């Protein structure tokens, strides 16, 4: 039997998301529960994968099944594809299993050509209908040319603008049927000019090219960027949904809209959305016209609005989550075109999750599982300082499309935003309206300001998804994109001028307004409380200063997983002493210089121990190569020479001697302590003295410093440095007449350390994976230079993600897993964590949970992200175990049932045999039961672990 590539909407349901994509599965589900969905079909995600395996071609079997879907669609809808008398026009839309708004392509009004257009108009003499037909035709030509044939839409937009200017009108809806007919002819000429061939008129050819275009869009640049940012694997592919057109642009009794069952910006339980009369779906999303609020639909189409309200209630009760819906009204009749769990701000996500628990839709664990941890970052972003804001006067106002505060220099293109950010500038991207092509510029900007578009425009939806501040639909802006300037509030702004925007209120300000950290309260604490109950992994922070440690504690950190001591040496009063140590001629001189630093180090550690209030503090000893601490400019070298009583030539020679061909793999980490043990002695004394002092001050705390030796690749290195640490620490403890406990562990950041973890575990109290260096050394990528070529690796699909941002499970992950499995049996009390940047990445946190780490450590502002991700990993594991148990229970029941049947048959058979040879019926029965019991015992032994 041939593989099934195509499913009618009536054949699927929401459980088939992986096969039908999110849009297809939800269209099928809405069909199943009786909602008004135009009946079409879905070409599966597997067909997309096959398309790429076949060299980007649709094979005959897939196309044949698609045309069979068209035939069934014709029967259901009473129209015929390509027919002149009663033509079936269709839309072709993408639909991956994960929502990717605006990232892939859609084609509407497919099936039109000159003959079909003429026949449709001939069959309906109404001038308004003629206008509708030509409006649909020019839209189709433009969309097909842009999406399918990759002719830039700018050529067609220029023709539209010329036509509107010629006719003296502002909006497309003001153009007449004759104007649109002329535009359609101009579009076809432009198509031929750009491609050298006529616009395709065969509907079947149009359909095949459109399906190929949607599959091809899975691999377009903006989709690739979005997938990388949202951990969506390339291998998933996209489905294609083909459905009959319903026309919001048919007349003034028709329209189209987008709505949410709850406010996606605040989470408030109220219908929120927008609607446009006499329009098609892309008009709302693209922001070409500023739409009316959804509530106004009640005045325009009361019956359709009443039905829509019921649909909203049905969908939210069915999916138990906030729904994002697209719909069309044709001649006052409602049609549902899409539903999905709506994108929302982090603030809204927390409120919605809590409300759904209170309303009985979700359990606490389900509420925790439904929040994207990455979005919590946005809760911690700056807001405008209240005092500064009070003094500021808005120069304009748009829609507060995505909350937060942003300020920066104005840029007018996505490319400029990327370029300016690369130079270290903070920018605000100002556009007439954004499009999916602007995604990289939107990511680079601090905030986005658009002239057109509403709360559901591309800019608004994408900005909310990225957690970026956005103000949309500021119609008072008079824009001149070509000259890179605009006028607002009586002032002309140019590229590079400073501006501030408030994504909550929609206010726009001239100049830079001071910002402050956001304050977290309310639902955040409630959700994080549920998360903490669910998670197993502890969450620590990477902090080098008391201020960082304090902030991390406020955000729920349970310790410090990494304190980089080298950051403490760069203060002006310390760097001179450290340089004196580097330039010393012997150990005694080095020790004398280090003695000057010791009080500073001790004070630093005391403040960290105080901030952590008895929670674990892991202090990494000096790691970077010494050349990073010495001056490289002549003036600075001369100054150092004078301070140390040396000549400039002597200092210059020392500096030159410290240079290395590959410093990241050179004289650094534990190698420094092997060469200069006095550094380790000083740092140990500072740590232990600080811990003793804080412990005496707070007798109810349990201060146990964790001393971490970096860059160990050979157990003897660790043993050498550890001996120095123990000798110094024990002497300090004895001198203080106390019994302070401490631990000595190591970072696992060299592949050899992971491979020999069983040996290293004998000398270590703990392991901490330094995955920044471990990734660097495993891939042999320089983390400082990899950005120069990683783009090519993404384009060629060699890599899907930056391995420094998302943990490489197949390589680095295997080394981590190996180190745990080698180390734990040797040292069962070994505790293990991670302190690379991956400690705050949700996918990496999930992996850390799976391989059995004890904690993750991340930057302070990512602590809530890690807490939530750790909880979700535990909840997912629990759900998977429950599902496996359920499956095993069913399998076991079937085995026992089968065994019982076989036992009964065997008992009867033996009983008959015995009965035939013996008159003793009792004996026959006994032998039969005995055989049955033996069979049951066998089955029980096989399944007792289940």
């Amino acid at each position: 039997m041939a593989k099934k590539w195509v499913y009618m909407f009536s054949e699927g349901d929401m459980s088939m998301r992986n096969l039908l994509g999110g849009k297809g599965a939800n269209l099928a589900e809405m069909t199943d529960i009786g909602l008004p969905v135009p009946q079409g079909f879905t070409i599966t995600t597997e067909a997309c994968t096959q398309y790429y395996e076949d060299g980007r071609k649709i094979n005959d079997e897939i196309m044949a099944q698609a045309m069979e879907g068209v035939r069934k669609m014709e029967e259901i809808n009473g129209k015929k594809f390509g027919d002149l008398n009663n033509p079936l026009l269709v839309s072709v839309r993408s639909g991956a299993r994960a929502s990717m708004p605006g990232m892939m392509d859609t084609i509407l009004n497919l099936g039109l050509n000159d003959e079909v257009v003429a026949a449709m108009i001939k069959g309906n003499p109404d001038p308004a209908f003629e206008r509708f037909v030509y409006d649909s035709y020019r839209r189709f030509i433009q969309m097909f040319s842009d999406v399918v044939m990759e002719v830039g839409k700018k050529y067609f937009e220029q023709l539209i603008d010329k036509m509107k200017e010629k006719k003296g009108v502002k909006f497309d809806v003001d153009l007449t049927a004759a104007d649109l007919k002329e535009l359609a002819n101009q579009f076809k000429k432009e198509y031929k000019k750009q491609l050298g061939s006529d616009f395709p008129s065969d509907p079947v050819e149009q359909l095949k090219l459109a399906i190929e275009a949607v599959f091809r869009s899975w691999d377009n640049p903006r989709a690739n960027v979005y997938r990388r940012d949202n951990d969506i694997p390339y291998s998933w592919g996209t489905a294609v949904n083909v459905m009959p057109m319903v026309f919001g642009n048919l007349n003034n009794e028709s329209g189209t809209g987008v709505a949410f069952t709850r406010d996606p910006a605040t989470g408030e339980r109220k219908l929120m959305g927008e609607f446009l009369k006499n329009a098609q779906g892309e008009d709302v999303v693209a922001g070409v016209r500023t739409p009316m609020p959804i509530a106004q639909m009640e005045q325009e189409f009361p019956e359709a609005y009443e039905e829509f309200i019921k649909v909203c209630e049905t969908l939210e009760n069915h999916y138990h989550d906030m729904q994002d819906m697209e719909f069309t009204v044709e001649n006052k009749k409602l049609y549902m075109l899409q539903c999905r769990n709506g994108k929302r701000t982090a603030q809204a996500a927390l409120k919605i999750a809590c409300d759904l628990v209170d309303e009985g839709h979700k359990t606490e664990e389900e509420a925790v599982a439904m929040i994207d941890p990455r979005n919590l970052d946005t809760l911690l972003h700056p807001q405008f300082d209240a005092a500064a804001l009070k003094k500021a006067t808005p120069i304009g106002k748009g829609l507060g499309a995505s909350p937060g505060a942003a300020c920066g220099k104005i840029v007018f293109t996505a490319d400029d935003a990327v370029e300016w950010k690369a130079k270290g500038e903070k920018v605000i991207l100002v556009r007439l309206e954004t499009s999916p092509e602007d995604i990289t510029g939107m990511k680079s900007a601090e905030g986005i300001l658009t002239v057109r578009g509403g709360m559901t425009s591309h800019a608004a939806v994408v900005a909310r998804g990225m957690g970026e501040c956005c103000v949309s639909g500021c119609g008072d802006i008079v824009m001149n994109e070509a000259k890179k300037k605009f006028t607002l509030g009586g002032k002309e702004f140019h590229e590079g001028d400073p501006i501030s925007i408030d994504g909550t209120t929609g206010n726009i300000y001239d100049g830079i307004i001071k910002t402050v950290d956001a304050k977290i309260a309310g639902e955040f604490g409630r959700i994080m409380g549920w998360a903490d109950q669910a998670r197993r992994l502890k969450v620590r922070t990477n902090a080098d200063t008391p201020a960082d440690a304090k902030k991390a504690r406020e955000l729920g950190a349970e310790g410090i997983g990494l304190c980089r001591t080298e950051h403490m040496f760069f203060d002006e009063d310390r760097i001179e002493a450290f340089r004196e140590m580097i330039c010393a001629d012997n150990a005694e001189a080095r020790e004398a210089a280090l003695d000057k630093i010791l009080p500073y180090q001790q004070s630093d550690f005391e403040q960290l121990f105080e901030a952590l209030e008895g929670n674990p503090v892991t202090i990494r000893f000096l790691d970077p190569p010494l050349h990073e601490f010495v001056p490289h400019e002549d003036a600075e070298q001369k100054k150092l020479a004078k301070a140390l009583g040396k000549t400039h030539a002597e200092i210059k020679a020392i500096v030159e001697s410290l240079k290395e061909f590959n410093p990241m793999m050179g004289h650094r980490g534990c190698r420094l302590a092997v060469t200069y043990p006095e550094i380790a002695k000083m740092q140990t004394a500072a740590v232990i003295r600080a811990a003793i002092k804080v412990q005496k001050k707070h007798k109810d705390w349990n201060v146990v410093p964790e001393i971490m030796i970096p860059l160990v690749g050979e157990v003897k290195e660790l043993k050498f440095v550890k001996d120095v640490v123990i000798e110094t620490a024990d002497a300090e403890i004895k001198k203080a007449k106390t019994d302070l406990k401490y631990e000595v562990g190591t970072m696992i950041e060299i592949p050899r350390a992971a491979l020999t973890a069983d040996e290293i575990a004998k000398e270590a109290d703990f392991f901490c994976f330094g995955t920044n260096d471990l990734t660097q050394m495993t891939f042999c990528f320089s983390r400082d230079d990899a950005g120069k070529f990683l783009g090519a690796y993404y384009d060629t699909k060699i890599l899907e993600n930056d391995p420094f941002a998302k943990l490489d499970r197949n390589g680095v992950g295997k080394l981590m897993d190996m180190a745990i499995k080698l180390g734990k049996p040797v040292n069962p009390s070994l505790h293990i964590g991670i302190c690379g940047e991956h400690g705050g990445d949700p996918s990496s946190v999930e992996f850390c949970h799976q391989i059995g780490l004890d904690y993750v450590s991340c930057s302070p502002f990512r602590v809530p992200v890690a807490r939530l991700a750790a909880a979700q990993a535990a909840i997912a594991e629990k759900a998977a175990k429950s599902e496996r148990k359920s499956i095993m229970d069913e399998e076991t029941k079937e085995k026992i049932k089968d065994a019982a049947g076989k036992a009964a048959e065997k008992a009867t058979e033996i009983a008959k045999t015995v009965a035939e040879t013996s008159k003793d019926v009792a004996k026959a029965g006994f032998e039969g039961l005995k055989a049955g019991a033996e069979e049951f015992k066998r089955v029980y032994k096989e399944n007792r672990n289940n």
Side-chain angles (χ1 to χ4, degrees):
M1 182 178 173
K3 187 179 182 70
K4 190 170 175 63
W5 302 106
V6 172
Y7 289 78
M8 303 306 291
F9 292 165
S10 56
E11 295 180 294
D13 59 50
M14 65 180 179
S15 70
M16 299 170 71
R17 170 180 289 268
N18 290 0
L19 185 65
L20 303 181
K23 189 174 294 181
N26 288 337
L27 285 166
E29 190 71 16
M30 285 196 290
T31 296
D32 188 52
I33 61 176
L35 298 185
V37 176
Q39 287 302 292
F41 61 85
T42 300
I43 304 172
T44 66
T45 55
E46 291 177 348
C48 179
T49 304
Q50 191 64 46
Y51 163 82
Y52 283 101
E53 288 179 1
D54 291 341
R56 297 189 177 224
K57 293 178 184 175
I58 298 178
N59 67 41
D60 293 342
E61 181 58 35
I62 292 172
M63 198 61 206
Q65 289 189 28
M67 292 313 300
E68 176 61 18
V70 170
R71 188 190 65 74
K72 290 178 182 177
M73 201 163 55
E74 290 172 337
E75 290 177 4
I76 295 167
N77 293 279
K79 298 180 179 182
K80 193 164 179 63
F81 192 55
D83 186 62
L84 297 183
N85 297 318
N86 192 17
L88 173 68
L89 304 181
V90 301
S91 65
V92 181
R93 301 169 186 261
S94 61
R97 68 170 86 169
S99 177
M100 296 173 63
M103 295 303 114
M104 291 180 293
D105 292 328
T106 293
I107 301 98
L108 305 180
N109 308 318
L110 189 142
L112 285 172
N113 56 34
D114 289 349
E115 292 76 18
V116 170
V117 165
M120 288 174 71
I121 293 170
K122 185 178 178 182
N124 189 331
D126 183 354
F129 185 76
E130 181 184 9
R131 187 199 177 284
F132 150 71
V133 173
Y134 279 115
D135 182 45
S136 300
Y137 194 25
R138 66 93 186 171
R139 288 171 183 270
F140 171 54
I141 297 168
Q142 180 178 358
M143 195 174 284
F144 188 92
S145 302
D146 175 32
V147 169
V148 179
M149 306 308 293
E150 299 179 351
V151 176
K153 61 185 176 184
K154 66 179 181 180
Y155 300 109
F156 303 99
E157 288 172 347
Q158 288 167 1
L159 292 171
I160 294 171
D161 289 341
K162 283 180 185 176
M163 179 64 75
K164 287 191 289 190
E165 186 179 346
K166 177 182 171 184
K167 297 296 179 178
V169 299
K170 189 175 181 181
F171 297 112
D172 298 1
V173 289
D174 298 321
L175 295 172
T176 66
D179 299 335
L180 294 168
K181 179 179 181 179
E182 186 181 341
L183 265 182
N185 288 326
Q186 289 177 4
F187 282 8
K188 285 187 290 180
K189 286 177 183 176
E190 187 65 34
Y191 180 95
K192 188 167 185 176
K193 177 184 172 184
Q194 295 295 329
L195 294 175
S197 59
D198 291 327
F199 188 83
S201 59
D202 177 10
V204 174
E205 182 188 1
Q206 292 174 357
L207 179 61
K208 183 175 182 181
L209 289 170
I211 293 168
E212 285 180 338
V214 172
F215 282 155
R216 193 169 63 239
S217 72
W218 177 248
D219 195 26
N220 72 36
R222 64 181 186 269
N224 285 332
V225 169
Y226 189 91
R227 276 200 307 276
R228 203 155 55 240
D229 288 348
N230 291 276
D231 291 337
I232 300 171
Y234 177 74
S235 59
W236 282 4
T238 182
V240 179
N241 299 287
V242 181
M243 59 198 297
M245 282 298 303
V246 283
F247 297 98
N249 64 328
L250 179 61
N251 49 40
N252 283 328
E253 293 187 336
S254 305
T256 187
V258 175
F260 300 86
T261 56
R262 302 182 191 229
D263 189 326
T266 67
E268 185 180 353
R269 190 177 184 183
K270 67 174 183 181
L271 184 63
M272 181 272 190
E274 292 164 331
F275 184 76
L276 268 176
K277 283 176 63 177
N278 201 346
Q280 288 197 323
E282 76 269 20
D283 296 340
V284 179
V285 176
V288 175
R289 288 158 56 194
T290 300
M292 65 180 76
I294 191 74
Q296 273 185 248
M297 181 181 161
E298 186 174 15
Q299 280 77 52
E300 302 290 343
F301 310 120
E303 295 89 353
Y305 182 76
E306 184 181 356
E307 184 181 3
F308 181 65
I309 294 299
K310 291 177 182 175
V311 167
C312 291
E313 187 177 348
T314 298
L315 286 173
E316 186 160 297
N317 287 335
H318 188 75
Y319 285 98
H320 304 291
D321 199 354
M322 182 262 272
Q323 291 300 294
D324 169 3
M325 302 153 294
E326 292 181 19
F327 64 94
T328 286
V329 175
E330 180 182 298
N331 276 330
K332 297 186 177 181
K333 178 170 172 51
L334 176 71
Y335 295 93
M336 297 303 298
L337 306 183
Q338 174 173 307
C339 78
R340 61 189 174 196
N341 293 340
K343 297 284 183 185
R344 63 206 76 179
T345 64
Q347 178 184 347
L350 296 176
K351 177 168 174 51
I352 290 169
C354 289
D355 287 351
L356 289 173
V357 171
D358 294 339
E359 293 162 20
H361 286 291
K362 299 281 185 186
T363 65
E364 291 174 359
E365 286 193 350
E366 286 170 341
V368 168
M370 69 186 286
I371 296 168
D372 186 342
R374 293 165 301 187
N375 286 350
L376 291 186
D377 271 339
T378 64
L379 287 176
L380 313 170
H381 290 168
Q383 303 292 318
F384 287 132
D385 175 73
L389 194 61
K390 196 172 182 180
K391 296 174 187 174
T393 303
I395 56 169
K397 186 177 177 66
L399 300 171
S402 186
C407 48
K409 294 180 179 178
I410 295 167
V411 294
F412 290 89
T413 70
D415 288 343
D416 285 342
V418 174
E419 186 180 327
W420 283 49
K421 185 185 180 183
K423 293 187 292 188
E425 299 280 6
K426 291 185 176 182
V427 299
I428 302 293
L429 178 62
V430 183
R431 305 281 281 148
L432 275 172
E433 71 259 352
T434 63
S435 68
E437 286 78 12
D438 293 325
I439 184 73
T440 53
M442 295 171 75
K443 282 179 60 185
S444 297
E446 300 295 307
I448 301 151
L449 171 61
T450 69
V451 180
R452 302 173 186 158
M455 296 288 282
T456 52
S457 65
H458 175 266
V461 171
V462 173
R464 281 197 295 269
M466 294 193 301
E468 189 164 323
C469 173
C470 176
V471 174
S472 64
C474 180
D476 292 335
I477 290 176
V478 179
M479 175 75 86
N480 187 332
E481 285 187 311
K483 293 188 177 178
K484 295 187 175 181
K485 65 180 184 178
F486 69 82
T487 303
L488 178 63
K491 179 177 176 179
E492 189 170 271
F493 291 84
H494 301 84
E495 184 178 58
D497 289 346
I499 196 171
S500 300
I501 60 175
D502 188 327
T504 304
T505 64
N507 286 335
I508 303 159
Y509 302 90
D510 185 7
I512 302 293
I513 298 176
K514 181 184 173 185
T515 58
V516 294
D517 287 347
K519 292 179 181 175
I520 301 167
E523 289 91 358
F524 177 85
R526 200 172 170 202
I527 290 288
M528 297 315 294
W530 295 339
D532 291 341
Q533 289 172 18
R535 67 183 166 92
R536 176 191 62 77
L537 270 177
K538 297 289 185 184
V539 177
R540 300 190 188 183
T541 189
N542 301 340
D544 312 325
T545 68
D548 284 348
K550 186 170 181 284
K551 173 56 71 176
R553 286 287 289 145
E554 289 171 8
L555 297 174
E558 299 161 295
I560 289 179
L562 173 64
C563 168
R564 305 172 183 90
T565 54
E566 58 269 12
H567 291 176
M568 300 169 171
F569 292 143
F570 284 99
D571 284 357
E572 194 173 341
D573 52 356
R574 309 173 190 203
I575 192 66
E576 290 180 6
F578 198 68
R579 285 172 175 173
E580 181 184 337
M581 186 278 297
I582 294 171
C583 297
D585 297 323
N586 53 56
E588 290 75 17
R590 282 193 292 273
E591 286 175 355
L594 289 167
D595 282 343
K596 298 176 184 178
I597 299 172
L598 194 153
Y600 295 117
Q601 282 265 277
Q602 181 178 336
S603 175
D604 292 332
F605 298 144
E606 284 175 19
Q607 291 177 68
L608 288 178
F609 290 136
E610 287 278 359
L612 268 295
E613 301 174 328
N615 285 289
V617 176
T618 304
I619 295 164
R620 183 182 73 184
F621 277 7
L622 188 66
D623 184 39
L626 296 180
H627 76 84
E628 291 189 12
F629 299 93
V630 293
H632 294 274
E633 299 294 327
D634 277 354
E636 287 294 311
Q637 288 178 357
K638 287 175 182 176
K639 184 180 174 184
L640 178 62
K642 185 177 180 182
L644 299 181
K646 293 180 180 288
T647 65
H648 178 213
E650 287 174 319
I651 295 297
K652 199 174 186 68
I654 291 169
V655 171
E656 287 298 315
S657 72
L658 293 173
K659 288 182 179 177
E660 297 177 293
F661 288 110
N662 192 344
M664 290 308 293
M665 298 177 75
H667 192 191
R668 55 171 286 227
C670 67
R671 300 157 198 170
L672 289 171
V674 170
T675 313
Y676 306 120
E678 48 272 18
I679 298 176
K681 289 178 184 176
M682 181 278 289
Q683 292 200 288
T684 303
V687 169
I688 298 301
R689 289 178 191 179
I692 290 170
K693 187 173 179 180
V694 172
Q695 181 68 77
K696 283 182 178 178
K697 185 177 175 183
H698 302 280
K699 298 192 185 303
D700 55 329
W701 292 0
N702 184 29
V703 181
V704 182
E706 298 176 2
I707 294 170
M708 184 157 68
I709 311 303
L711 216 71
V712 166
E714 159 62 53
V715 67
K716 296 192 196 85
E717 288 177 311
L718 176 60
K719 174 105 173 44
F720 179 91
V721 181
K722 180 185 174 185
D723 288 346
V724 172
V725 170
I726 289 175
E727 182 182 350
T728 307
D730 289 353
E732 291 290 340
I733 292 168
K734 184 177 179 181
K735 181 180 172 184
K737 297 178 180 177
T738 183
D739 59 351
L740 181 83
K741 300 290 186 292
Y742 64 93
E743 295 184 347
V744 183
T746 185
M747 294 185 84
I748 303 292
E749 50 190 336
I750 294 177
R752 191 178 190 279
L755 295 169
T756 60
D758 50 342
E759 297 175 18
I760 293 173
K762 295 173 186 174
E763 295 293 339
D765 294 317
F766 61 89
F767 285 169
C768 188
F769 291 104
T771 49
N772 297 345
D773 271 352
L774 189 57
T775 299
Q776 181 169 243
M777 295 193 194
T778 302
F779 273 98
C780 202
F781 286 171
S782 163
R783 61 185 175 193
D784 298 316
D785 301 308
K788 295 174 184 175
F789 59 82
L790 281 179
Y793 274 53
Y794 303 145
D795 293 342
T796 53
K797 306 300 180 294
I798 293 171
L799 291 177
E800 286 194 44
N801 302 96
D802 180 350
F804 292 105
K806 181 182 176 184
L807 192 67
D808 161 46
R809 298 188 182 196
N810 289 339
V812 177
K814 280 182 182 174
L815 286 172
M816 293 170 66
D817 191 39
M818 179 188 301
I820 294 167
K821 287 174 178 171
L822 287 172
K824 279 278 191 181
V826 174
N827 183 355
S829 63
L830 193 76
H831 58 96
I832 304 175
I834 180 175
C835 62
E837 286 303 307
H838 300 103
D841 169 64
S843 169
S844 306
V845 171
E846 178 189 42
F847 180 72
C848 291
H849 172 91
Q850 290 169 351
I851 62 172
L853 262 64
D854 298 300
Y855 69 87
V856 297
S857 188
C858 56
S859 60
F861 283 99
R862 300 198 83 188
V863 166
V865 176
R867 288 165 66 194
L868 187 58
Q872 290 178 348
I875 291 166
E877 182 182 65
K878 181 179 172 183
K881 282 181 179 176
S882 177
E883 186 177 348
R884 283 197 301 271
K885 185 177 184 303
S886 177
I887 292 168
M888 286 192 291
D889 286 348
E890 288 301 315
E891 290 175 349
T892 302
K893 283 178 189 175
E894 288 300 314
K895 285 179 180 177
I896 290 173
K897 185 178 176 183
D898 183 54
K902 287 179 179 176
E905 288 174 12
K906 197 167 186 179
T908 304
E909 182 186 333
I910 293 173
K912 283 181 180 177
T913 304
V914 174
E916 285 172 6
T917 57
S918 169
K919 301 272 185 184
D920 192 343
V921 178
K923 184 178 179 183
F926 172 76
E927 292 295 332
L929 290 171
K930 184 179 176 184
E934 289 298 322
E935 182 67 12
F936 269 115
K937 279 164 69 179
R938 184 187 66 77
V939 172
Y940 173 75
K941 283 179 182 177
E942 284 181 5
N943 293 281
R944 62 185 169 188
N945 290 333
N946 294 339

